[in-house]
Amino acid sequence: MFDGQGSQEVGAVSKYPQQCSSLEQSMKVPRAWWWDFILHASTFGLYTMFWLVGRLREVRRLGQHDVKPWLWFFVPLFLLAQLIALPRLTRYLRELERANGVPVWGASRYLWITGVILVSAFFNVQERIATPLWTFVFAMLVWGTLFTILEARFNTLKRNLDNPPVGEAGRGYKWWEWLIAVPMVCVTFIALPYLSLGALGVYDIDDLPGGEVYVDAEERFQFPVPTDGWVRVSPGTFAQDEALLEMRGPSEDIWAIVYHYEGMSLEELAHDRRQTLYGSLRRAGCEEFRQFSGNSLNVSTQIICTGMDLNMPSMWTTGIVESDHGIYELIVHMTTPAATYQRRKPELLRMTEEFEVL
C-alpha cells in the first residue's frame, strides 16, 4: 500500500556515496522539538499528516526505497493503515540508523507503535461515543509526545550524516505549513481554557437529581430531569440573553435554557424559533407538535429540528407554553457523536414535551 515495487534494503546506502552526499544536502534542517510538539498536539492531527509526508520524502532521499510519500498523508486518518504503515516506518528508520552509525531504535519502538494505534483507536471511538473533554486533551498531548519522540530520532539521524543539514531550525517549515498550523494553534490555545473551565465545573451551581421533576424555585415552570448528570450553571454560560435557568447536560455539548417572554404570541415565537433552528443546521428537518400543557388549558408547542453540525448529528428541541403570565420556553440542544446522540435523543425530547407552566 505504501511502497512501490522493487524496494531494496537501505543498507545499500554506502554503495552510493556521491548520490547520498547530494541528497543529504537537501535534507530538512532538524526542527525544534518543543515547537513540533505544539504543532502535533494542537492541530488535531492535521500537521502530523503533512509531517509524515515530509519524513517519507527524506527516507526516500537517504535510502533506496521506492516509497510514495503522498500516501502517508492519509495514515493518521485510518487505523487499519497504521497497522501496516507504522511498523514499516520504524523499520525504514532502523535501517537508516544502522547504515549511518546511529544507535538503532530497539524494542521501545513497539511501545511507540502501540501508543499511536491506541490513541488513534480512542479518536475512532470518540467519533461514536461522547467522552469528557479532558480525555481528548490528554490524547492529543500523548499524540504530540509520540510524534515528538519520532522527530527526535530523525533529528539524531540527520546530525550524524556525512553532510548534515545546517541552518536555522525554523527554515525546516514551508510557508503553507505555517499558514495551516499557526491559526489552529491560536484557536486551540484560545478555546481550550474556556472549554476546560466548563469541563472542570467552574460554572456549576448545583446538581439536578435525575429521574425527578425539576420545579422552579418560584414555582413558575417544571420539567422532567431524565437522568443524572444535569447541572445548573451560572447565568451567561450558554445564553446570550437573560435566562431564567441554564443547565449543562450529562454529555459534552448538551445544554438547556429556560426563557420568559412578554408581549409576544406563541405563534410569533414558534415561527421565529423554527426559522432560527432550521438555519443553524445542515440537512435540517423540523417538526412541530401542539397540545395542551399537562392538565391545564395552556397551549404548548414542541419544535424538533435535526441535522448535522461539525460533522456530527445535532438536534434542537424547544417546548413553548403560553400562559396568563406570558410565554415560557425550554430550549434543549445536543451536538454529539452518533451513538450518544441516539441514546440521549428520546430523553431530551421528553424534557421539552413535558415542559409545563405552573
Side-chain angles (χ1 to χ4, degrees), residues 139-208:
M140 288 306 306
L141 293 175
V142 173
W143 181 271
T145 299
L146 290 169
F147 279 93
T148 300
I149 291 172
L150 187 59
E151 173 79 356
R153 298 206 69 90
F154 270 100
N155 286 345
T156 300
L157 172 65
K158 293 175 185 179
R159 295 187 183 101
N160 283 271
L161 298 174
D162 291 337
N163 295 285
V166 295
E168 298 178 8
R171 294 178 181 174
Y173 301 92
K174 295 182 178 180
W175 66 269
W176 49 265
E177 289 179 301
W178 291 106
L179 188 63
I180 293 172
V182 171
M184 293 191 69
V185 170
C186 293
V187 169
T188 300
F189 275 84
I190 292 172
L192 189 58
Y194 173 78
L195 296 174
S196 299
L197 290 175
L200 294 172
V202 173
Y203 307 113
D204 294 359
I205 296 177
D206 54 36
D207 295 335
L208 305 181

Side-chain angles (χ1 to χ4, degrees), residues 77-136:
L77 299 177
F78 302 104
L79 184 61
L80 291 178
Q82 294 172 25
L83 296 174
I84 302 172
L86 298 182
R88 188 166 294 178
L89 175 59
T90 58
R91 176 168 60 85
Y92 293 159
L93 181 58
R94 278 167 53 86
E95 292 171 348
L96 288 170
E97 290 172 335
R98 185 178 295 111
N100 289 277
V102 177
V104 176
W105 199 356
S108 63
R109 70 186 185 278
Y110 296 115
L111 293 176
W112 183 87
I113 294 171
T114 302
V116 174
I117 291 174
L118 287 177
V119 174
S120 295
F122 167 78
F123 290 143
N124 278 267
V125 169
Q126 195 182 48
E127 292 179 359
R128 298 287 302 171
I129 302 174
T131 59
L133 176 65
W134 72 265
T135 60
F136 175 77

Side-chain angles (χ1 to χ4, degrees), residues 220 260 266 298-299 321-328 357-358:
R220 294 170 292 184
H260 176 242
L266 183 146
N298 295 328
V299 177
V321 182
E322 189 174 36
S323 72
D324 295 336
H325 305 290
I327 294 178
Y328 289 84
V357 174
L358 302 177

Side-chain angles (χ1 to χ4, degrees), residues 33-50:
W33 69 268
W34 58 270
W35 182 233
D36 254 29
F37 169 78
I38 292 175
L39 294 175
H40 283 295
S42 61
T43 57
F44 311 106
L46 179 61
Y47 174 72
T48 306
M49 297 159 72
F50 291 101

